[in-house]
Amino acid sequence: MSHPSEQALPFPILIGDIGGTNARFAIVESADTEAGEPRIVQTASYATIDDAILAVLDGSPVRPRSAVLAVAGPVEGEEIALTNCPWVVRPKQMFSTIGLSDILVLNDFEAQALAVVALGDEHMEKIGPGEPEEGAGRVVLGPGTGLGVAGLVHALGRWIPVPGEGGHMDIGPRSPRDFEVFPHIEKLEGRISGEQILCGRGLVNTYRAVAKADGKTPTLTQPAQVTAAALEGSDPIAEEALELFVTCLGRTAGDLALVFKSKGGVYLTGGIAQKIVPALKKGNFREAFEDKAPHRELMRSMPVYVITHPLAALAGLAAYARTPDLFGIETGDRRWRV
């Protein structure tokens, strides 16, 4: 791990949360100031991330010297491709195109994990029983354009995010109704991963599968349409699709909670989780989460929260930019300096 004195980046620091659909940016001017006004752009509106950043900085009186960028995809090599977006991050190129001298690239769910530490109770909506154990492991997962997953462990006085690609774990049927619906869920190279159900397109995929299982014709095509129809109670197919979505989310969250023994809590993040809080509170989420024999009592003791902050990842990145020594992040070959 890098020595604490080497963790700090030079201010002002550009922070960026780059997802498959939207990219969110802000500037942290110093360790004593909050992040500036966020700028949000659609990834489809710009050919490259460099173009998007230059547009965001256009007219800004503050020019960043460094950047901490969180991207939706594994951070490997000199060219970092996003999983659900055609952008490729080339840090060395940014030295000349943007004028930066120090760039750190993290996984987007590392940033979400940082946010769990940075945000207070006012940004949390609790789902079910359990109280967090101080210093215990935590899990963050969020259905969005894809399904992001990260762990968070506390060791040697620091919070250490553990990024991964947990959204691509296998997921399968359990109930008799599951066995009727799952054969109709669209597969990815022969298998059903979490992302085939637990993301925006996965919700639509599930909606279509429920309709096909009953020989009906699906009419909704967008995740927001399915969510709205389900919450309004105007479409029985959408209602069942959302119920299955919530149940599968509970099962997956419970599996991850077992992996990390996350007695510090499980945190659901992203716009979809925020929109379906009423569905999450109905009971089938917690039932699926806790149904992990022989560890039902352990699971019942673990609290689950929905992070309600609209820009949680940016809040996490800002916390790291201001106080990097609170976090144990191995920068290694993910940091580029002039």
Side-chain angles (χ1 to χ4, degrees):
M1 184 178 293
S2 303
H3 190 272
S5 63
E6 298 177 354
Q7 294 284 3
L9 284 83
F11 291 99
I13 302 172
L14 174 72
I15 56 174
D17 170 33
I18 297 96
T21 304
N22 296 305
R24 307 157 185 88
F25 299 97
I27 295 176
V28 181
E29 293 192 42
S30 73
D32 302 318
T33 60
E34 297 293 323
E37 189 69 23
R39 288 284 307 278
I40 303 173
V41 300
Q42 290 190 329
T43 56
S45 298
Y46 297 91
T48 70
I49 183 174
D50 298 50
D51 291 341
I53 291 174
L54 289 171
V56 165
L57 295 178
D58 185 34
S60 172
V62 180
R63 304 302 295 187
R65 295 172 59 199
S66 62
V68 183
L69 305 175
V71 302
V75 182
E76 298 172 351
E78 301 287 337
E79 297 192 350
I80 303 158
L82 274 71
T83 302
N84 293 303
C85 166
W87 282 1
V88 177
V89 180
R90 298 179 175 91
K92 287 184 177 179
Q93 180 177 291
M94 290 180 174
F95 295 151
S96 57
T97 57
I98 302 170
L100 300 171
S101 61
D102 196 338
I103 301 168
L104 173 63
V105 183
L106 306 177
N107 173 267
D108 62 332
F109 263 75
E110 279 183 282
Q112 295 286 356
L114 298 175
V116 168
V117 178
L119 297 175
D121 291 343
E122 69 274 19
H123 297 298
M124 307 284 178
E125 181 82 26
K126 196 163 182 237
I127 308 294
E131 294 299 327
E133 183 178 298
E134 187 175 354
R138 303 177 182 186
V139 163
V140 189
L141 70 159
T145 304
L147 175 62
V149 171
L152 189 67
V153 297
H154 193 262
L156 302 177
R158 294 184 179 186
W159 285 103
I160 304 168
V162 184
E165 292 296 322
H168 299 278
M169 298 185 302
D170 285 346
I171 190 168
R174 282 191 58 180
S175 71
R177 179 58 171 165
D178 289 350
F179 280 94
E180 293 175 357
V181 172
F182 267 68
H184 302 284
I185 290 177
E186 181 181 327
K187 296 178 176 60
L188 181 64
E189 296 185 11
R191 73 187 189 98
I192 299 175
S193 70
E195 281 201 356
Q196 296 305 101
I197 296 175
L198 300 175
C199 67
R201 62 178 174 79
L203 178 57
V204 176
N205 192 6
T206 304
Y207 166 79
R208 290 173 181 156
V210 170
K212 290 178 182 177
D214 291 340
K216 297 177 180 177
T217 302
T219 58
L220 306 178
T221 59
Q222 299 299 318
Q225 294 174 333
V226 177
T227 301
L231 294 176
E232 292 167 1
S234 60
D235 185 328
I237 300 172
E239 288 183 74
E240 184 178 353
L242 183 59
E243 182 178 359
L244 179 56
F245 180 97
V246 166
T247 296
C248 289
L249 185 60
R251 292 172 186 163
T252 299
D255 287 343
L256 291 163
L258 284 172
V259 170
F260 284 93
K261 199 176 182 182
S262 51
K263 298 178 80 172
V266 174
Y267 298 79
L268 307 177
T269 190
I272 292 177
Q274 292 169 5
K275 289 183 179 71
I276 64 170
V277 166
L280 291 168
K281 287 191 168 185
K282 278 189 174 180
N284 57 307
F285 172 86
R286 280 296 315 203
E287 172 57 30
F289 178 82
E290 295 172 17
D291 187 16
K292 302 292 180 185
H295 294 297
R296 179 176 282 274
E297 289 306 310
L298 170 65
M299 301 305 295
R300 185 169 177 77
S301 74
M302 294 183 186
V304 177
Y305 303 91
V306 174
I307 296 178
T308 56
H309 193 290
L311 298 171
L314 274 190
L317 293 174
Y320 178 80
R322 290 195 304 266
T323 56
D325 292 351
L326 290 179
F327 304 98
I329 291 183
E330 178 60 60
T331 57
D333 57 1
R334 303 189 299 171
R335 186 171 181 178
W336 291 260
R337 292 182 250 200
V338 174

